[in-house]
Amino acid sequence: MNAQAKVLQFNHLSLLPIDSLAALFGSLVCLSLTPIFIRLSEYELGPNATIFNRFWIAAITFGLLSQLLTVRRRKRKNETQIEPKEPHLAKAVKLLIADGVLLSIGLIFWSWSLTQTSIAHSSIMHNLVPIFTVLGAWLALSQTFDRRFILGMFVAICGSALLDINDLFSFKISEQLLGDLAALLSAIFFGIHPLIVQKLRTHFNPVTIMTWSSTTSALLLLPVVLITENQLFPSSLTGWLPVIAQALVSQMLGIGLWAYCLKKLSAGFTSLVALFIPAISAIEGWVIFSENLNLSTLVSFLIILLGMYLAISSRSSLNSEVVKS
């Protein structure tokens, strides 16, 4: 029986798409740099202004890239595949816009939570994203997850919580409740985001999806920034550099590569792997800013690795369409 189980596990691992896994790893590295870019940009801009600039720069760049890809496709042979996509676009406009709405509202809640509670508590609440993604996939998309995947998810979440274990024990409900609830709401919005992208990936490439998402997010954030911030754009070259880096690295490469993965990997699995981001950010903070890297960070990294192994060896890590094929 054990031998048969090992054979089945080996067959599953052979189905894992290497290109999607490589893109997912690249996405994690890019997204892990986000706190560093935000810290550098905060010398001139507030959090909402930083996010707004990130989205509008990404929207323009994604739009130009989308047009370039369209021109290249039209130059190849007498291609007829681009015509049927128009009806899909018409039907999916609401879904494309909804993705941008979710991202922008989630980021607003998350940035506001950081002004009301500690980074540690906000991170703990925000790291519950995989639970809401898995729950949403089960309720809305009728996806099922085996016990091995669920176990791996909770192991990884526990490992992620270890990053902030010291602050967790100093929790003060009266002072930090609103901030923690805001971070929890951000986790819900970010948990739904990969489910929508996974649905859209059956019809659209990641560039099209992210063009709509970034444009919608920028338009929604503009009035928020005008109301809450004193400055809309950076005032110097050193202020523009981290903002542009956040748009190109965090939004385009980070979120874009993640959207690419969702054609073959499940939304629940990619959200679970995202728990690596705080650990990678901690290591980058140690390298770049000489921040303390304590034992709990290293232990957390190993526990998350264990959770990743359990999840990746589960068939639930694959998109259901890939499993069927």
Side-chain angles (χ1 to χ4, degrees):
M1 194 70 176
N2 289 334
Q4 185 180 2
K6 289 182 179 180
V7 170
L8 291 174
Q9 184 174 337
F10 176 78
N11 289 337
H12 160 70
L13 292 175
S14 66
L15 293 174
L16 291 173
I18 302 301
D19 59 332
S20 295
L21 289 174
L24 182 58
F25 177 75
S27 172
L28 296 184
V29 174
C30 292
L31 291 173
S32 69
L33 291 168
T34 301
I36 295 173
F37 295 143
I38 290 177
R39 174 174 291 189
L40 293 173
S41 64
E42 281 178 348
Y43 290 110
E44 291 192 12
L45 296 175
N48 289 328
T50 298
I51 297 169
F52 165 71
N53 283 281
R54 160 181 169 168
F55 279 127
W56 77 257
I57 294 173
I60 292 176
T61 311
F62 270 125
L64 293 174
L65 181 58
S66 180
Q67 290 301 315
L68 178 62
L69 292 175
T70 300
V71 170
R72 287 185 62 185
R73 280 196 297 265
R74 285 174 177 171
K75 284 184 178 180
R76 294 177 188 169
K77 303 181 181 180
N78 52 345
E79 196 170 44
T80 57
Q81 295 177 357
I82 196 166
E83 298 301 327
K85 287 191 177 182
E86 294 302 325
H88 288 310
L89 184 61
K91 293 179 182 178
V93 159
K94 292 182 180 179
L95 211 54
L96 286 162
I97 294 176
D99 184 50
V101 172
L102 287 171
L103 273 181
S104 56
I105 295 178
L107 282 170
I108 289 173
F109 273 120
W110 196 12
S111 61
W112 184 78
S113 75
L114 292 170
T115 66
Q116 304 297 314
T117 187
S118 68
I119 293 177
H121 292 163
S122 179
S123 297
I124 290 171
M125 292 297 179
H126 187 75
N127 284 343
L128 297 177
V129 166
I131 293 179
F132 296 110
T133 301
V134 170
L135 185 61
W138 176 57
L139 292 175
L141 304 179
S142 299
Q143 293 182 7
T144 57
F145 299 88
D146 57 31
R147 293 179 181 177
R148 191 178 186 88
F149 182 88
I150 298 298
L151 176 61
M153 180 180 71
F154 281 105
V155 168
I157 289 175
C158 290
S160 179
L162 276 180
L163 287 171
D164 310 302
I165 193 67
N166 293 328
D167 291 294
L168 183 62
F169 286 124
S170 62
F171 181 59
K172 297 178 181 178
I173 294 180
S174 59
E175 296 179 5
Q176 301 179 342
L177 180 59
L178 288 178
D180 293 331
L181 288 176
L184 184 63
L185 285 173
S186 77
I188 296 174
F189 285 109
F190 275 94
I192 300 172
H193 161 68
L195 297 175
I196 292 180
V197 175
Q198 180 176 300
K199 190 78 174 174
L200 290 169
R201 282 292 280 125
T202 59
H203 300 302
F204 305 108
N205 61 52
V207 175
T208 300
I209 296 171
M210 296 315 301
T211 300
W212 279 81
S213 175
S214 299
T215 302
T216 304
S217 297
L219 292 175
L220 283 174
L221 279 167
L222 179 57
V224 175
V225 176
L226 293 175
I227 294 172
T228 61
E229 307 283 359
N230 297 321
Q231 187 173 339
L232 188 60
F233 302 109
S235 56
S236 67
L237 178 61
T238 54
W240 274 107
L241 287 177
V243 170
I244 293 173
Q246 190 177 168
L248 299 182
V249 177
S250 301
Q251 185 68 16
M252 288 198 68
L253 290 177
I255 304 295
L257 287 172
W258 195 355
Y260 172 83
C261 301
L262 287 169
K263 188 165 187 176
K264 297 179 180 178
L265 299 176
S266 72
F269 175 69
T270 56
S271 296
L272 180 60
V273 174
L275 292 176
F276 260 129
I277 293 175
I280 299 174
S281 296
I283 295 173
E284 291 167 347
W286 171 62
V287 173
I288 298 173
F289 296 111
S290 299
E291 294 182 346
N292 292 331
L293 192 64
N294 51 38
L295 181 61
S296 65
T297 302
L298 299 177
V299 174
S300 169
F301 193 80
L302 293 175
I303 294 176
I304 295 174
L305 271 177
L306 175 60
M308 292 303 99
Y309 168 75
L310 292 172
I312 203 171
S313 58
S314 161
R315 290 182 65 85
S316 300
S317 62
L318 289 172
N319 190 330
S320 57
E321 297 300 322
V322 175
V323 175
K324 290 177 184 177
S325 61

